[in-house]
């Protein structure tokens, strides 16, 4: 096969272990998955109501323009329908943007560590990847600015950042955007934006109107609890959307996903409830880390990165054997930490108890 040279050393994305895999591997009856930052409280009951009453034919293609969803989202966000692009999750939107702007001879700037798909897609397109180390777990925007030159096509900002859970403030972001050349696209990934409670977080729906080179990315996979439906979207000025649309696959969002998303945005009480429960869950982990003397980054997301000061795979395997799936920090760029999704109060108490047991057994575990 005549494979592209860019992909010969590229590894496929490795998702967290499934519940069935762990049950089979360790002979367990009950498994709690806290690895992929899904919403433990599910999704709005309004979604079930809509899906139960679905009577259209599955033999027909979905609306490729997602017209009804587009109309609902535009009204909900207070934007023009032409300022939206829909995708098969945020992953596909990253792919669309990368394919549209990156090529050999171009470069792209991003933090490190951050969401892996920015780098992954840049490598596939043959672009130079310029990674800027996080500073205190946060984007070092000044250092990222220094990496921008006449060949830079995209700058990626994940806020809140995955895997640290940290965020960029309004003051920091606007100062950065003021200095980025107009021909460089800034991709602002807000996959976890609905979880943020910080007072100094920015309003991206105002920023994209001011900065013509800004695209804001959001998803229904996190707080909305619709990860299986794969619906993500971008918000940008009409010129940017027009440039991206020819690269978007023609039927990339499915009919059930479009319907579920429309129902989900109509239940903002559910979203507020999830956000409040998530904050209480994070406090459970903060309290545990305080008692155990473990470092963590204060999070504005539904996950927390905890440093156990040992091989993170050891922590991962220990918790796995006890029925808790978390994410080892090794592939995330934090080899002594684990990333844990905030679950229900009961789930949090359970994994915290097992983390405490791990710390007690730590000397023998490391032998």
């Amino acid at each position: 096969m005549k494979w592209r040279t860019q992909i010969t050393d590229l590894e496929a994305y490795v998702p967290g272990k499934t519940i069935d895999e762990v049950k089979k591997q360790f002979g367990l009856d009950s498994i709690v998955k806290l690895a992929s930052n899904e919403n433990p409280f599910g999704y709005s009951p309004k979604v079930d109501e809509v899906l139960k009453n679905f009577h259209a034919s599955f033999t027909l293609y979905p609306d490729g323009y997602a017209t009804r969803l587009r109309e609902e989202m535009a009204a909900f966000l207070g934007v023009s329908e032409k300022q939206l692009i829909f995708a098969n999750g945020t992953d596909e939107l990253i792919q669309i943007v990368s394919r549209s702007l990156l090529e050999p001879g171009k470069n792209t700037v991003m933090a490190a560590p951050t969401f892996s798909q920015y780098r992954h897609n840049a490598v596939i397109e043959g672009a130079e990847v310029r990674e800027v180390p996080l500073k205190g777990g946060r984007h070092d925007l000044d250092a990222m600015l220094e990496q921008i030159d006449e060949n830079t096509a995209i700058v990626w900002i994940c806020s809140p950042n995955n895997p640290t859970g940290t965020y960029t403030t309004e003051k920091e972001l606007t100062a950065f955007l003021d200095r980025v050349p107009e021909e460089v696209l800034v991709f602002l990934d807000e996959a976890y934006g609905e979880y943020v409670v910080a007072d100094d977080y920015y309003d991206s729906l105002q920023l994209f109107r001011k900065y013509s080179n800004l695209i804001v990315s959001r998803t229904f996979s996190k707080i909305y609890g619709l990860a299986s439906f794969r619906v993500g979207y971008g918000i940008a000025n009409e010129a940017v959307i027009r440039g991206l649309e020819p690269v978007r696959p023609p039927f990339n969002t499915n009919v059930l996903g479009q319907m579920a998303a429309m129902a989900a945005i109509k239940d903002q009480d559910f979203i507020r409830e999830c956000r409040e429960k998530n904050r209480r869950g994070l406090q459970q982990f903060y309290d545990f880390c305080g008692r155990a003397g473990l470092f963590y980054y204060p999070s504005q997301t539904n996950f927390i990165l905890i440093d156990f000061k040992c091989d993170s795979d050891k922590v991962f395997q220990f918790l796995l054997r006890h029925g808790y799936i978390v994410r080892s920090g090794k592939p995330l760029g934090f080899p002594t930490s684990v990333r844990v999704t905030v679950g229900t109060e009961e789930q949090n108490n359970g994994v915290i108890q097992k983390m405490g047991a791990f710390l007690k057994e730590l000397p023998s575990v490391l032998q």
Side-chain angles (χ1 to χ4, degrees):
M1 296 295 178
K2 299 179 181 180
W3 301 109
R4 295 178 63 177
T5 56
Q6 295 97 317
I7 72 169
T8 53
D9 295 321
L10 198 61
E11 295 184 3
Y13 178 79
V14 180
K17 287 182 175 292
T18 67
I19 290 175
D20 288 339
E21 280 181 293
V22 178
K23 280 184 177 180
K24 183 177 181 180
Q25 182 178 358
F26 296 101
L28 299 171
D29 296 324
S30 177
I31 301 295
V32 176
K33 185 185 177 189
L34 301 172
S36 301
N37 308 333
E38 295 132 332
N39 188 344
F41 308 110
Y43 50 81
S44 167
K46 292 183 182 295
V47 174
D48 272 334
E49 293 174 16
V50 169
L51 296 180
K52 287 176 181 177
N53 294 316
F54 178 78
H55 300 298
S57 173
F58 287 119
T59 62
L60 303 178
Y61 284 110
D63 175 5
Y65 193 60
T67 304
R68 289 186 58 204
L69 175 58
R70 184 178 299 274
E71 292 171 349
E72 296 278 357
M73 288 302 301
F76 174 69
L77 297 170
V79 303
S80 163
E81 294 173 22
K82 295 180 181 179
Q83 293 172 327
L84 294 170
I85 183 170
F86 291 91
N88 189 248
T90 300
D91 292 330
E92 187 185 50
L93 183 57
I94 293 169
Q95 186 180 60
I96 291 170
V97 170
S98 298
R99 190 175 183 186
S100 300
L101 293 167
L102 298 179
E103 60 187 342
K106 300 280 184 66
N107 69 69
T108 181
V109 178
M110 64 195 70
T114 191
F115 187 47
S116 63
Q117 291 304 291
Y118 311 148
R119 186 182 198 284
H120 186 90
N121 281 280
V123 171
I124 291 174
E125 300 304 330
E128 177 192 353
V129 177
R130 296 183 176 181
E131 296 179 302
V132 177
L134 296 174
K135 188 175 182 179
R138 303 173 68 245
H139 282 57
D140 187 346
L141 296 182
D142 288 337
M144 291 174 70
L145 274 169
E146 294 176 359
Q147 292 297 316
I148 298 174
D149 62 20
E150 67 277 6
N151 294 318
T152 303
I154 309 173
V155 178
W156 308 87
I157 299 178
C158 189
S159 178
N161 186 46
N162 181 7
T164 56
T166 55
Y167 71 103
T168 300
T169 68
E170 179 180 14
K171 182 178 179 180
E172 293 167 337
L173 183 57
T174 54
F176 176 80
L177 292 171
D178 283 340
R179 298 168 61 189
V180 175
E182 291 184 3
E183 67 273 15
V184 176
L185 183 73
V186 177
F187 187 104
L188 184 58
D189 189 340
E190 293 185 343
Y192 301 93
E194 290 90 353
Y195 282 107
V196 177
V197 297
D199 292 335
D200 55 354
Y201 195 60
Y202 51 82
D203 182 354
S204 59
L205 293 180
Q206 296 301 320
L207 291 178
F208 95 89
R209 293 181 170 93
K210 180 180 179 181
Y211 300 99
S212 61
N213 59 336
L214 177 66
I215 182 168
V216 180
S217 170
R218 294 181 178 178
T219 181
F220 282 91
S221 295
K222 302 306 179 184
I223 203 168
Y224 283 98
L226 300 177
S228 288
F229 288 97
R230 310 306 299 130
V231 181
Y233 62 99
I235 312 163
N237 74 70
E238 293 182 23
V240 170
I241 299 299
R242 282 198 304 270
L244 296 175
E245 276 291 346
V247 183
R248 180 182 63 82
F251 302 105
N252 60 332
T253 55
N254 66 77
V255 62
L256 294 179
Q258 292 177 22
M259 292 178 61
M262 283 189 288
I265 61 171
K266 295 176 182 176
D267 193 355
Q268 290 303 305
D269 287 339
F270 174 78
I271 299 305
R272 283 188 287 271
E273 181 182 351
C274 289
R275 184 163 49 241
E276 291 168 2
K277 288 179 178 178
N278 182 71
R279 297 315 299 180
R280 293 196 291 271
L282 278 169
Q283 191 61 52
Q284 290 177 263
F285 288 100
Y286 294 167
D287 293 343
F288 163 70
C289 290
R291 294 191 303 269
L294 298 177
F295 175 81
Y296 65 92
Y297 291 107
S299 177
Q300 291 291 327
T301 66
N302 68 333
F303 61 82
I304 183 170
L305 188 70
I306 303 175
D307 189 355
F308 282 81
K309 296 183 174 61
C310 67
D311 185 340
S312 60
D313 283 349
K314 299 286 186 182
V315 190
F316 169 75
Q317 289 294 337
F318 181 92
L319 295 176
L320 202 61
R321 291 196 301 273
H322 289 86
Y324 290 91
I325 311 174
V326 299
R327 190 74 159 152
S328 170
K330 277 191 176 179
L332 305 177
F334 289 88
T336 63
S337 300
V338 295
R339 192 192 67 192
V340 188
T341 303
V342 177
T344 65
E345 181 179 3
E346 180 181 4
Q347 291 171 339
N348 297 337
N349 283 331
V351 73
I352 285 171
Q353 181 182 30
K354 295 306 178 184
M355 287 177 175
F358 172 82
L359 292 174
K360 290 180 180 178
E361 298 182 22
L362 189 56
S364 60
V365 169
L366 295 179
Q367 288 180 356

